[in-house]
Amino acid sequence: MGELSADVLVLFTFDNTLVDVDSNLHIAQQLDATLANAVWTKYDQQVDRAKVMDQFLVQLAEKCPQVSCVDIRNAAQRLPYNHHMVDAIRLAVDDFGATCKIVSDSTVFGVQSFVQHVGLADRVSEVVANPTHFENGGKVLRVRPYQGDHVAPHKCARCPKNLCKGAVVEQILQQHRYSRVLFVGEGDGDFCPSMKLAMDDVVFARADEVGLLPLLNENPDQIQAHIRQWEKGEDILAYFRDFFYRQYPQCRQANVNDTLVYAQQDGNFSVPTPMPRDPGELLVIFDFDDSLVNEDSDVYVFGSFHPELCKTAYERHAKKPIWPSVFDDMLQVLASEKPDVTPELIRQRVAQIPVQARMLDAVRMAVELFGADVKVISDGNTFYIESMLDHQDLSNHVKEVFANPIEHEPLDDGRTRLRIRPYHGDHLEPHGCKWCPTNMCKGSILDSIRSSKSYYRVIYVGDGTGDFCPASRLTEYDVVW
């Protein structure tokens, strides 16, 4: 990081802000909707949220003992969210060295599970929420109120007795008085911390007829901070860009190359508009394994469910140098030796394959700002690639996937297993490329794409020897990474 960092605290609430839902209720409904509805109906609004979630988890352990901590974590990781909110945190922390914390009336376990999943664990320095721990040998997740009954009441009439966010903000600011605070909230419980902010701070309130914004409008004499409305994650990201580039240009980190922000003629910064070109004239091609994602997707799957098969795969590849055929054989072994590993379980796992966050940002930028056609050409398979794209909310950004197709083959016991077929099947005439494996010539695919539509430029992102062939077909106007 650079020598200077923005002395700014970025403070997010969690429910209906960083994520799009009430996290406790959503997680509970994912685990057992019937029980969740019964528990939430039983307890009225006077009972703090920590106790409601605790009661649900205790009853869940009794009713469904097979539900594990992994299942609860997976439910938290699947919380719906707007990726621009995550991008806003990355920009503040990575690009300008700001400090980010989360204060929430949800649970530490739920928040941390989500934060880790979306790649923010190293960017969020603190999570203040209702603490959690496991009991009964890790079989029961318990939730305790942030401010328990054994502690003197916080005496705040506006906040639930288990958590006064205003007191939390005061404590944070006593430890370090930041030059600015940006607070992003939405509900009634966010009014109290808003009152603790100073004149140079900013409170972002969701545009709604209930919750934080009406309280701010009804009590202007109690608020010193600037007030900004937001409706979606794009609004927060746009304001953060404008704020940090205006107020802290000297703190921009030396290793940052943020092409999403441009200077206008008057020196101000704003979110750029798309290039004045017809959509689709720019073609962006991504390889998948070790390019768009950080690992070989096939090896990642076998390493997750049957690590011994990784070594076997490489041994078989030495005898049969066509990866789709090798991995198809390995999937047959996996189905035989690990019958509990279903195609759906594989889909859920491969969807979470490690990625470079900025690589995903590049895909979104290419489409949203420059109207590019983004396509994937990979010697992986369509099932893994499309699972990851869907999980990362990129299905609408990537226009086409060229990869080895997947079939679902019924088994005698009623199960199904995945079959990988070669993109260029044996029934077709050989493609005749000396650089490429017999099942796929990426160069030929690139040629067919360009012959079907005229592009003024191609940007190709790859990593392996199989990407040499398409790279050799690019022109002086194109770029290969």
Side-chain angles (χ1 to χ4, degrees), residues 132-144:
T132 48
H133 68 276
F134 283 93
E135 293 181 355
N136 194 17
K139 296 180 180 179
V140 184
L141 178 62
R142 301 302 303 270
V143 182
R144 293 292 179 248

Side-chain angles (χ1 to χ4, degrees), residues 13 103-105 159 163-170 183 189-190 192-193:
T13 58
V103 56
S104 171
D105 197 10
C159 295
L163 176 63
C164 174
K165 292 182 182 179
V168 172
V169 170
E170 284 185 326
F183 176 61
D190 300 325
C192 183

Side-chain angles (χ1 to χ4, degrees), residues 283-293 359 362-363 374-378 442 446 458-464 467 470-471 474 479-481:
L283 173 64
V284 180
I285 299 289
F286 279 89
D287 175 43
F288 187 69
D289 293 337
D290 298 306
S291 294
L292 189 55
V293 297
M359 195 70 83
V363 174
V374 176
K375 301 174 187 280
V376 172
I377 303 178
S378 169
K442 292 185 178 181
L446 178 58
V458 177
I459 298 176
Y460 189 94
V461 183
D463 83 300
D467 298 311
L474 300 179
V479 180
V480 58
W481 295 90

Side-chain angles (χ1 to χ4, degrees), residues 14 18-19 76-77 79 81 110-118:
F14 190 65
L18 188 53
V19 297
Q77 292 176 344
L79 289 168
Y81 70 101
V111 176
Q112 289 183 340
S113 296
F114 174 83
V115 164
Q116 291 169 0
H117 177 63
V118 297

Side-chain angles (χ1 to χ4, degrees), residues 1 63 82 101 114 220 231 245 261 283 315 346 442 471 475:
M1 299 181 74
K63 178 184 176 184
N82 184 309
K101 299 177 185 284
F114 174 83
E231 294 183 359
Y245 274 86
V261 184
L283 173 64
E315 292 173 348
I346 294 174
K442 292 185 178 181
T475 72

